Amino acid sequence: MGEIVRVENLSFRYPEAAKFAVRDFELTIKGGEIVMLAGPSGCGKSTLLRTVNGLIPHMYTGEYLGSVSVGDHKVSEARMSELAQTVGLLFQNPENQIFMFSVERDIAFGLENLAVPPDEIRARVDEAMRQLGITDLAQRAPHELSDGQKQRVALAGVIVMRPRLIILDEPTSLLDPKTAVELVELVRRLRDETGITFLIVEHRLELLVRIADRLVVMSEGKKVLDGRPEEILADERAEAYGISIPPVSRLRNQLKRDGLPLENGFGPDELAEELNRQALKR
Amino acid sequence: MYWVAGGFIFRRVGSPFHSLDPRVKLLISAELFVVSLTAYSVTQLAVVMGVMLCIAAVAKILKRVGRTLVFSAGFSVFIFVINLFARQSLLTSAIYSVRFLAIIISTSLFFITTSPDELEQVMKSAHLPRDVVFAFTTAVRFIPVLMLDAIQIVDAQKSRGLEVEKGNLIKRVRKMVPVLIPLVVNSVIRSGELAEAMESRAYGAVPRPTSLNRYSSSKRDKLVAAGSLILFIITVYIYVRFPTPL
């Protein structure tokens, strides 16, 4: 698949701010990729996400240099309604992006705003609910849903717009471990079934590195590392940039430093298997 | 307090009244409102109250209407006392206070049986501006969220030693400041995120958005609307034709 996101030499500073939140940023994302964006709090991740979906510069003004293109649109020149059909954004707290009093009405919200004919809205809402396994929640009110269900409803409201790129801003931060794992599996399934590209900001790296194709690390508004997740987690500089390396990756890195010839991987099972192999060889 | 407040909140119930077109429910509620407001005798008020309680029974909301009455009883007594002080007769004061209760029931019949989504449809069919309708539905949607926020903030402040229930009225009001400030700050932050989410979902892209649900009146809705209109006209005729108390 071709390129879907191109960020060229992007810098952005909020009004009255002393420093640029994002500086000289370059990024390209290919269609169908799952790209993780990591970095310490305040490093500019959320600002970058908002430049990709158009909230910057359309909603937030400031000093905007460089350019961002998504699909066929140059973000600074396209209208928000055009961008809404290309880029979907799932916020950290799904509660704040559910507007309507029933699940199916909320999922339909974006399509209603684009004046899509009611019959088509019905078909697309039903399809989105089926894809996310929430058909039985159609008539429920938002306050009757669990956090995990709200997350799915909010995601259905994004997917129903049939975007080419979905941005997830710390999607697991309010979820318990089991629901978080389910969400990660859902993202993988959606990518495999629909070919949608994902750009995900997440602190809990151990959850998402398994499905990510790339891990991009930001520090002080700049891109400092970009590569396959296993390579980045094995890179000694990652921790210095404020990335919390998952314990298993940390152990793997230590064992490698101690001279064990291990390959790059993520999970405890993989590591145990490799260690067993090494022990048998010896 | 929550028990009383619950009397005003919509809950999905399968009843013949709930399933009516929301515009028909609004029509019936408006007719009952006018009939209650203009009733001038005990007999008339008793009949209107009886009709409304029958509707409440059909709609399976008698208990919830009861809660509404409990909530309104204080105001009703206040109206009674004020009228006595204004040198109205005992009967007139009683009529005014019961009329107030009848008006409350007539409006709550609509709000208890109509979901916010249906309310939105009614507002849309009245051709109210899109922004007004959206502001209304969003406000209703976030009532439970703000209530939960408030409970959490009160619990958090209590755990830090704030004694909300102690002291006289002025002290209690002062003690609400550490609850209200975080609640307002939370709400401002929330409204910022809501605005971002609205933009991200193409709010305002077209002047005339479409709607997933299209409400169309069935034969039953039309019959009920016509029947209620006929009864309303007969009642108004009786009010005008027999102006003295029955």
Side-chain angles (χ1 to χ4, degrees), chain A residues 50 53 59-60 80-81 84 91 95-99 102 105-106 109-110 112-113 115-116 118-119 139 142, chain B residues 12 116-117 120 130 134 141 190 193-196 198-203 205-206 209-214:
Chain A
R50 281 157 178 75
N53 97 319
M59 190 170 165
Y60 297 105
M80 276 306 287
S81 56
F91 293 87
E95 186 83 76
N96 296 344
Q97 66 182 103
I98 299 177
F99 303 107
S102 71
R105 278 295 318 279
D106 188 76
F109 180 75
E112 290 177 348
N113 288 333
V116 172
D119 292 338
Q139 295 302 325
Chain B
R12 285 177 210 284
D117 276 349
E120 186 201 359
R130 160 87 162 150
F134 186 72
R141 146 81 182 96
R190 198 183 286 284
E193 289 183 13
L194 269 171
E196 284 191 354
M198 283 164 64
E199 285 286 329
S200 304
R201 291 175 75 188
Y203 182 81
V206 294
T210 47
S211 185
L212 171 68
N213 297 324
R214 282 170 293 183

Side-chain angles (χ1 to χ4, degrees), chain A residues 35-68:
Chain A
V35 177
M36 270 188 78
L37 190 60
S41 297
C43 72
K45 301 186 295 290
S46 294
T47 302
L48 182 71
L49 298 188
R50 281 157 178 75
T51 61
V52 176
N53 97 319
L55 287 171
I56 296 174
H58 294 290
M59 190 170 165
Y60 297 105
T61 52
E63 196 175 341
Y64 184 96
L65 304 168
S67 74
V68 179

